[in-house]
């Protein structure tokens, strides 16, 4: 083979010129990227159903969403998980080369179509659609040598000060806080025996919280009158302390008596 190229220099020259021309053509036409797309684009769909276990989340949240999302343009397959904390996560994988922005919009449209069959608690909390990979890129540990800064404090500090900065980094899909400590929030535990005596349900308590723990616009007075001053009405807004939550009225018992949450 080598003897043929030696005895035929014209053929060797022509082949060399063709290789050079193909290389130049490839450099001009073929795309060059420092980080080429080698993994399939992924869109994450997340939802929360407070108080539901994994089986309820699977039947009432994940299945309706999967039925609507299935068959979206460019999709290859999808996986889903449900937890006993009421969280649902669906990962939708697309063909390599699919525009992740277009894929996220298509999935968002499918999720919007499924909102009418989802529980109202899920739609009120919101269904989140993000374009991101399912694997973790970086995991950071946060600790403190001071006893006053316990795990709950550190988790809340990370959620307020660290997570927003990480989310603003270009290319970051999402940043989450992991830990066994509970985040700061107001939690209400109900006693079934007393609920049976007063004939109330957890839904009654939820409705009372939604009606009496809101930030509303109380308005103003003196605008359409001949008064010299106009006053803006202000009130405390959402409740902050356990005592304020305890004073929430659940129902009227008659004769001027009211059943409070406490």
């Amino acid at each position: 083979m080598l003897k043929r190229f030696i005895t035929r220099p014209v053929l060797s020259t022509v082949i060399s010129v063709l290789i050079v021309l193909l290389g130049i053509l490839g450099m001009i036409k073929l795309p060059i990227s420092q980080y080429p797309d080698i993994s399939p684009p992924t869109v994450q769909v997340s939802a929360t159903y407070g108080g539901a276990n994994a089986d309820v989340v699977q039947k009432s949240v994940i299945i309706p969403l999967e039925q609507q999302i299935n068959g979206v343009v460019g999709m290859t397959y999808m996986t889903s998980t449900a937890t006993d904390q009421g969280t649902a996560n669906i990962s939708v994988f697309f063909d390599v080369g699919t525009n992740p922005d277009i894929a996220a919009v298509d999935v968002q449209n499918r999720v919007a179509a499924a909102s009418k069959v989802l529980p109202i608690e899920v739609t009120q909390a919101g269904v989140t659609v993000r374009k991101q990979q399912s694997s973790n890129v970086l995991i950071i540990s946060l600790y403190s040598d001071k006893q006053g800064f316990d795990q709950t404090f550190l988790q809340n500090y990370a959620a307020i000060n660290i997570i927003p900065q990480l989310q603003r980094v270009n290319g970051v899909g999402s940043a989450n806080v992991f830990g066994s400590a509970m985040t700061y929030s107001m939690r209400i535990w109900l006693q079934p025996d007393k609920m049976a005596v007063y004939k109330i349900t957890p839904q009654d308590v939820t409705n009372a919280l939604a009606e009496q723990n809101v930030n509303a616009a109380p308005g103003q007075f003196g605008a359409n009158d001949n008064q010299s001053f106009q006053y803006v009405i202000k009130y405390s807004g959402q409740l902050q302390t356990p005592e304020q939550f305890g004073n929430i009225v659940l129902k009227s018992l008659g004769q001027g008596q009211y059943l409070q949450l406490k």
Side-chain angles (χ1 to χ4, degrees), residues 30-82:
L30 294 179
I32 299 176
S33 176
Q34 184 178 5
Y35 301 104
D37 295 331
I38 59 176
S39 59
T42 308
V43 176
Q44 301 286 340
V45 181
S46 304
T48 303
Y49 192 0
N53 56 29
D55 183 63
V56 174
V57 173
Q58 178 73 25
K59 294 179 180 178
S60 60
V61 180
I62 291 182
I63 291 180
L65 288 175
E66 286 184 343
Q67 290 176 347
Q68 288 292 338
I69 297 174
N70 187 33
V72 67
V73 178
M75 188 194 81
T76 55
Y77 66 97
M78 60 182 170
T79 60
S80 60
T81 57

Side-chain angles (χ1 to χ4, degrees), residues 32 34 55 58 63 76 79 85 90 101 119 143 150 168-169 193 203 208 227 238 244 248 253-254 260:
I32 299 176
Q34 184 178 5
D55 183 63
Q58 178 73 25
I63 291 180
T76 55
T79 60
Q85 286 71 38
I90 301 177
D101 296 322
Y143 70 95
D150 56 2
R168 291 194 293 267
V169 177
D193 53 344
Q203 187 62 42
Q227 297 182 4
Q238 288 187 329
Q244 292 175 340
I248 291 179
L253 302 179
Q260 294 178 315

Side-chain angles (χ1 to χ4, degrees), residues 199-220:
K199 296 181 180 180
I200 60 175
T201 63
Q203 187 62 42
D204 297 331
V205 179
T206 301
N207 295 337
L209 289 171
E211 293 174 355
Q212 304 178 41
N213 182 35
V214 294
N215 279 324
Q220 55 190 4

Side-chain angles (χ1 to χ4, degrees), residues 93-152:
F93 298 87
F94 293 83
D95 293 326
V96 177
T98 302
N99 189 331
D101 296 322
I102 301 300
V105 172
D106 292 339
V107 174
Q108 180 65 59
N109 294 335
R110 296 296 185 96
V111 171
S115 61
K116 59 184 179 181
V117 297
L118 296 177
I120 186 173
E121 294 82 3
V122 177
T123 56
Q124 288 178 347
V127 181
T128 305
V129 178
R130 295 190 180 96
K131 51 175 184 178
Q132 65 182 50
Q133 298 294 331
S134 58
S135 58
N136 294 324
V137 177
L138 178 66
I139 298 178
I140 302 174
S141 297
L142 185 66
Y143 70 95
S144 175
D145 296 331
K146 298 183 179 181
Q147 296 182 355
F149 298 154
D150 56 2
Q151 188 173 0
T152 303

